[in-house]
Amino acid sequence: MKTGLIFVGFLFLINPDFITLDIIPDFIGYILIACGLSRLSLLEERIAAAKKWLLFLALTSVVKLFSSALVFTSTLQSDRLMFCFFFLVAEGGLSWLFCDNFFKGLHYLAIRRDGTLMLKSFDLVRGYVTGFFLAKAVINFLPQLPTIFFSEIDAGADYVQDYSAMRTNFFTTQRILLVIGGVLLVFFGIYTARIIKAYLKRCREDKTFYENLISSYVENVEKNAPLQTRLAIKGAFFWFFLAFVCMGDLYLDFINIFPKPLFAFFVFLGLRRLDAAYSEAKVPAFHKLLSLVSFAVLCVTYGIRLARLIATGDNAFPYLFPYEVLAWCSTVLNLIFSILPLWFVFAAISRCTRLYTAQDYRKKGLVVFAFAFVVSALSSCQYLFVGRSDLVVFLQWGLYAVLLYLHKSSMDDIFAEADYKLT
């Protein structure tokens, strides 16, 4: 039941943050644990809910990582305190929801599937895992806690007597809390990991429970063709939505916050998911191949823009080509290889609509495609006119927001009808 992924994912969480900077990104661990729970989530609703909260934790981790650009450029400790407090509340609340749903669902499965060995140390494991998740959120906030007590830290030397001494004391306290909290988190995490490893081993040794669980999964999931089709459509639509999230060019210092190559890669994952689970709507092989080609080309164009950002002066490649030539070439390639995956998404959703619903996706799809084309064109071309007109940027962002709404709502309508007919 992919218990190994749960353990490996937990190992990614045994590291403290430096304010909001996470050297070993937590979202990798959350996603691995969610993948490890994917089969169990099909057998118990509360574990499915726990998986959902894990994905929200992964999203929070990504937002936290990107917020470092604002946190570390700010000179005000009160701003850092505000960010850290927000993530304390978000991570603490989501962690509690995850642990509560997961262990309630696991306890239910253990009782229903005769998991005698699982129930022996169940409360111990639940206590340690819940304690670790909550302690992690608190310890990550701990280094910013002195800001509350050193309330004049942002005032400046002109307004505070012995400001230099106060500043020294503040940063000394902050470093001590960072070191103590980091050491405690690592030791607590390692001990909890040992408990999880032993418990997962006990679960696998509980032959009655494991065999009952496997037989239930095979009967209710693997041999359930309509369920497999629903899961395939749901998974593909999830990747298609993530792909469109990465379509908008929301750049910082002229480099996209969401790397554009992820758009083509997520489209490929969606086509692959749709193709793997059922044979009625096979995705053409060249669609998947060209999606990977688009991913490679978009990586090159993204690299050219990144090189311009890193290079000193206006010409990033002084000994090869003028940057203007490369800018035009990368813009054309970026546009072409953004439209190709976009068309594949439109074709795949249309195929699902014809097979599993009575709806007509052509009109909605053409509207979504038109918006996506304009957004892609604006995001590709704005690098040619950097600094000349903010109107292009704001227009793209507005259309991008409308595009995400139309794309998500149309896929939700299609999946809702398909889910109803296949249930």
Side-chain angles (χ1 to χ4, degrees):
M1 282 291 175
K2 299 183 179 180
T3 55
L5 284 177
I6 298 174
F7 179 72
V8 173
F10 183 81
L11 294 180
F12 275 89
L13 307 180
I14 308 175
N15 68 99
D17 296 346
F18 179 64
I19 308 179
T20 56
L21 182 61
D22 191 6
I23 305 300
I24 305 175
D26 288 342
F27 70 84
I28 297 176
Y30 293 133
I31 291 174
L32 286 175
I33 297 173
C35 291
L37 297 179
S38 58
R39 292 184 178 179
L40 286 177
S41 66
L42 298 174
L43 300 176
E44 221 292 317
E45 291 182 358
R46 280 167 292 193
I47 296 182
K51 180 184 173 183
K52 179 185 68 175
W53 296 123
L54 273 175
L55 295 177
F56 277 112
L57 276 168
L59 179 60
T60 303
S61 175
V62 172
V63 173
K64 188 176 186 178
L65 198 59
F66 280 119
S67 71
S68 298
L70 299 174
V71 170
F72 285 96
T73 54
S74 175
T75 58
L76 299 178
Q77 295 297 328
S78 57
D79 287 347
R80 297 182 177 183
L81 176 67
M82 178 187 66
F83 275 99
C84 290
F85 182 74
F86 168 79
F87 289 114
L88 166 67
V89 175
E91 290 176 341
L94 291 172
S95 296
W96 172 259
L97 289 170
F98 158 68
C99 293
D100 184 56
N101 281 277
F102 172 68
F103 284 106
K104 284 180 178 177
L106 193 62
H107 187 265
Y108 176 79
L109 284 177
I111 293 175
R112 289 292 302 271
R113 309 297 175 190
D114 298 326
T116 307
L117 290 177
M118 288 184 61
L119 294 172
K120 283 187 176 180
S121 55
F122 179 82
D123 291 333
L124 175 70
V125 176
R126 179 173 59 183
Y128 270 94
V129 171
T130 305
F132 173 80
F133 272 89
L134 296 179
K136 180 177 174 66
V138 173
I139 287 173
N140 287 336
F141 173 75
L142 204 57
Q144 280 310 119
L145 189 61
T147 307
I148 299 173
F149 302 99
F150 292 83
S151 57
E152 297 179 326
I153 189 66
D154 292 330
D158 296 335
Y159 302 97
V160 180
Q161 188 178 4
D162 296 329
Y163 178 76
S164 179
M166 182 189 69
R167 185 178 173 85
T168 301
N169 292 334
F170 171 79
F171 284 109
T172 301
T173 306
Q174 194 176 53
R175 292 188 189 101
I176 291 173
L177 290 174
L178 180 65
V179 172
I180 293 176
V183 171
L184 288 175
L185 182 65
V186 170
F187 275 99
F188 189 20
I190 292 173
Y191 191 76
T192 305
R194 290 181 60 192
I195 292 176
I196 292 173
K197 185 177 181 181
Y199 186 72
L200 292 175
K201 182 180 179 182
R202 184 180 294 113
C203 292
R204 291 191 294 269
E205 291 174 350
D206 194 339
K207 298 297 184 182
T208 303
F209 170 76
Y210 207 69
E211 289 173 1
N212 289 340
L213 203 63
I214 294 296
S215 61
S216 177
Y217 181 80
V218 170
E219 181 181 351
N220 297 318
V221 180
E222 285 190 354
K223 293 183 178 180
N224 190 338
L227 176 61
Q228 289 293 325
T229 302
R230 285 156 50 203
L231 293 175
I233 297 173
K234 184 178 181 180
F237 283 10
F238 170 75
W239 288 118
F240 291 158
F241 177 72
L242 282 187
F244 273 57
V245 169
C246 296
M247 176 174 284
D249 213 334
L250 312 179
Y251 66 85
L252 180 67
D253 290 335
F254 310 118
I255 195 71
N256 200 356
I257 295 175
F258 300 112
K260 195 65 172 288
L262 290 178
F263 164 67
F265 185 67
F266 288 154
V267 169
F268 166 75
L269 292 179
L271 295 176
R272 185 171 175 269
R273 181 69 183 96
L274 202 60
D275 193 40
Y278 63 93
S279 58
E280 294 183 18
K282 278 289 184 181
V283 175
F286 75 93
H287 283 198
K288 291 181 287 185
L289 177 62
L290 287 179
S291 296
L292 287 178
V293 171
S294 300
F295 169 69
V297 173
L298 291 176
C299 282
V300 173
T301 59
Y302 188 78
I304 292 173
R305 292 173 178 175
L306 188 62
R308 184 198 180 188
L309 177 65
I310 297 173
T312 55
D314 294 331
N315 196 343
F317 304 91
Y319 303 108
L320 295 176
F321 301 101
Y323 179 75
E324 287 297 325
V325 175
L326 284 175
W328 277 98
C329 291
S330 66
T331 297
V332 173
L333 289 174
N334 201 68
L335 184 57
I336 292 173
F337 287 95
S338 295
I339 294 173
L340 278 177
L342 176 62
W343 178 257
F344 299 153
V345 171
F346 175 72
I349 296 177
S350 297
R351 195 177 299 113
C352 290
T353 307
R354 289 196 307 270
L355 286 170
Y356 301 107
T357 72
Q359 299 182 35
D360 185 359
Y361 179 69
R362 286 175 296 180
K363 292 181 179 179
K364 287 183 180 179
L366 287 174
V367 172
V368 171
F369 185 85
F371 270 89
F373 177 83
V374 174
V375 168
S376 186
L378 291 175
S379 68
S380 298
C381 296
Q382 69 185 21
Y383 286 88
L384 298 175
F385 311 104
V386 171
R388 298 181 189 176
S389 175
D390 291 334
L391 179 62
V392 174
V393 177
F394 288 117
L395 178 61
Q396 185 225 152
W397 286 16
L399 293 175
Y400 169 73
V402 175
L403 168 65
L404 287 183
Y405 171 76
L406 292 175
H407 181 52
K408 184 68 165 62
S409 63
S410 61
M411 289 195 303
D412 285 347
D413 291 342
I414 293 167
F415 178 72
E417 184 174 339
D419 187 52
Y420 175 76
K421 289 188 174 181
L422 291 167
T423 301

